[in-house]
Amino acid sequence: MTSSDRQALRLLSAPAPGLKTLYFGSGLNVLPTLPLFGGEAKLSTLKLYGSCVPWDSPAILGLRSLVLVGLQWQQFIPSANELLHILKESPSLVHLELQSIILKGGPISPGLQHISLPHLRHMSLQYLRPQDLLKIVPNIEVPLQATYRVEVNDGRGEFTDQLTEALRPRVALINSSSRPSHLDIHWASGAYDYALGALQVVAPSAAWLGQFLMNGLDSARRNLPTTVVAHDIPAFAFETSLSPLPRFFPSIVEVRIHPPAGDFNETIEYLSRFPSPDKPVPFPKVTTLVLVSNENMSSVTMLALRLDVSGGSVPLEKLVLQGGYLNQGALDRVRRWIPSVELVDTEIR
């Protein structure tokens, strides 16, 4: 133990009745027997990055914000029961973030099931083992309006059924609301981040996500998403991120695409491959396509030509170009082949 660690431990054991925020990012692990702040502090914010504290300390009950990142030291990590106890004793919790932590095993105590967090506005569960997600998700109740982000690291599909069942109430709650159903897809470092309402799921694939969402919807299939919004998805990833979705969501009639910077032409080239004998249209019922970019959009004529050659097999009725620029000749050709073309902040050069 370094001198700075010893100094930190002395500070942590000293009485601090007015202390409200504790942030540690040094990798310091405090022994469970240490009386945190002499038992006098009542924290409202606890942020630990690679550090652990006594999980049964009264000082960390009644929190409004809890962030735990990188807790993997077996000797000091909390058990699922200890974490759920903290949540149960923090009914005014507003922010919960758990990332790259491991929980000790053991069955969940009966008194720690179905914990209500009525004031929660943001919850993020990232890089947790599926078996740890299954200890947390089914046992906390989160308001509909709260941002609910879950990253699923289940590439081999071992826990798909259990995770689907655990998240089913959340999907059903969103589906029963009157909110417009937009399915947003983000691409980040090779992962697909899908958002349906306030539910965000980082899924191994579109097929996994589609099956997961459909399993959570009621038999009436009400409020199915009608719009897909694709953010920063490179053209080569469309096949796995978008193509499987119509099988689960035949309701999709509008696709909005925000290509990554410098990828507009590649995106148009990809979309222009459809239809062909071996490539059916990814979204056969789409009537509106929105393309958002700051680049030259003149290559959109390739897509318009393909639609004209398709002989009406693609029911596109409206094309919206937002941002960027194109030349007048390209715009005239597009308008010849697509019934309605709308420009939003797009320059004619």
Side-chain angles (χ1 to χ4, degrees):
M1 182 181 292
T2 65
S3 59
S4 60
D5 286 341
R6 285 191 289 270
Q7 183 180 8
L9 288 175
R10 284 196 296 271
L11 289 173
L12 288 171
S13 60
L19 187 67
K20 295 299 179 184
T21 300
L22 176 62
Y23 170 96
F24 256 111
S26 65
L28 179 67
N29 294 303
V30 182
L31 292 173
T33 55
L34 182 76
L36 200 58
F37 303 115
E40 295 184 14
K42 278 292 184 182
L43 298 174
S44 62
T45 299
L46 177 63
K47 297 183 178 181
L48 300 176
Y49 295 80
S51 301
C52 293
V53 296
W55 302 111
D56 61 350
S57 172
I60 60 175
L61 303 181
L63 295 170
R64 289 182 57 80
S65 178
L66 175 62
V67 178
L68 304 178
V69 179
L71 309 187
Q72 300 185 357
W73 290 94
Q74 195 66 33
Q75 182 182 356
F76 299 99
I77 59 175
S79 67
N81 281 327
E82 287 173 323
L83 176 60
L84 290 172
H85 177 69
I86 294 171
L87 297 180
K88 182 179 180 180
E89 297 301 321
S90 302
S92 297
L93 193 71
V94 174
H95 183 95
L96 174 62
E97 183 178 341
L98 307 177
Q99 179 177 326
S100 300
I101 71 170
I102 294 175
L103 300 176
K104 291 178 182 176
I108 302 301
S109 301
L112 296 176
Q113 298 173 1
H114 306 296
I115 297 168
S116 178
L117 298 173
H119 300 285
L120 198 66
R121 292 294 174 266
H122 176 82
M123 183 178 77
S124 178
L125 308 176
Q126 294 181 262
Y127 306 114
L128 272 66
R129 301 180 304 177
Q131 55 267 45
D132 289 337
L133 277 177
L134 289 170
K135 296 171 185 174
I136 300 171
V137 170
N139 292 308
I140 55 176
E141 298 175 0
V142 180
L144 175 63
Q145 66 271 22
T147 300
Y148 193 118
R149 178 180 171 85
V150 179
E151 179 152 347
V152 178
N153 296 302
D154 186 32
R156 291 184 292 181
E158 297 178 54
F159 296 88
T160 298
D161 291 343
Q162 293 166 278
L163 289 169
T164 297
E165 188 61 33
L167 287 163
R168 182 192 300 272
R170 191 67 187 175
V171 179
L173 184 62
I174 291 173
N175 187 239
S176 65
S177 74
S178 58
R179 292 185 173 196
S181 288
H182 284 61
L183 181 62
D184 288 89
I185 309 174
H186 295 258
W187 167 274
S189 303
Y192 300 112
D193 185 337
Y194 297 87
L196 180 63
L199 174 64
Q200 300 175 13
V201 180
V202 181
S205 68
W208 191 101
L209 175 104
Q211 188 61 55
F212 152 69
L213 289 177
M214 291 304 286
N215 287 347
L217 300 176
D218 60 31
S219 58
R221 300 289 186 252
R222 295 172 301 174
N223 291 339
L224 289 179
T226 56
T227 301
V228 166
V229 185
H231 301 267
D232 297 322
I233 299 179
F236 69 83
F238 273 35
E239 198 72 36
T240 52
S241 62
L242 291 177
S243 295
L245 293 177
R247 176 158 51 102
F248 306 102
F249 305 116
S251 53
I252 297 296
V253 294
E254 180 176 329
V255 175
R256 296 173 175 263
I257 299 178
H258 302 241
D263 209 26
F264 184 83
N265 289 341
E266 288 77 5
T267 298
I268 294 299
E269 182 180 350
Y270 174 83
L271 294 174
S272 299
R273 298 174 188 173
F274 305 95
S276 65
D278 61 333
K279 288 185 179 295
V281 179
F283 292 91
K285 295 184 179 180
V286 167
T287 58
T288 300
L289 174 64
V290 182
L291 298 172
V292 183
S293 178
N294 292 320
E295 303 174 32
N296 185 345
M297 292 186 169
S298 297
S299 62
V300 76
T301 54
M302 290 193 300
L303 176 61
L305 177 61
R306 167 60 72 178
L307 295 173
D308 183 60
V309 171
S310 72
S313 61
V314 179
L316 193 66
E317 298 174 358
K318 183 177 181 180
L319 173 67
V320 180
L321 302 178
Q322 182 174 337
Y325 60 94
L326 76 165
N327 60 60
Q328 185 65 53
L331 177 60
D332 292 341
R333 289 191 293 275
V334 171
R335 281 181 167 158
R336 188 184 314 155
W337 292 316
I338 299 176
S340 175
V341 179
E342 180 180 336
L343 303 184
V344 180
D345 298 327
T346 301
E347 296 182 22
I348 303 300
R349 295 184 181 180

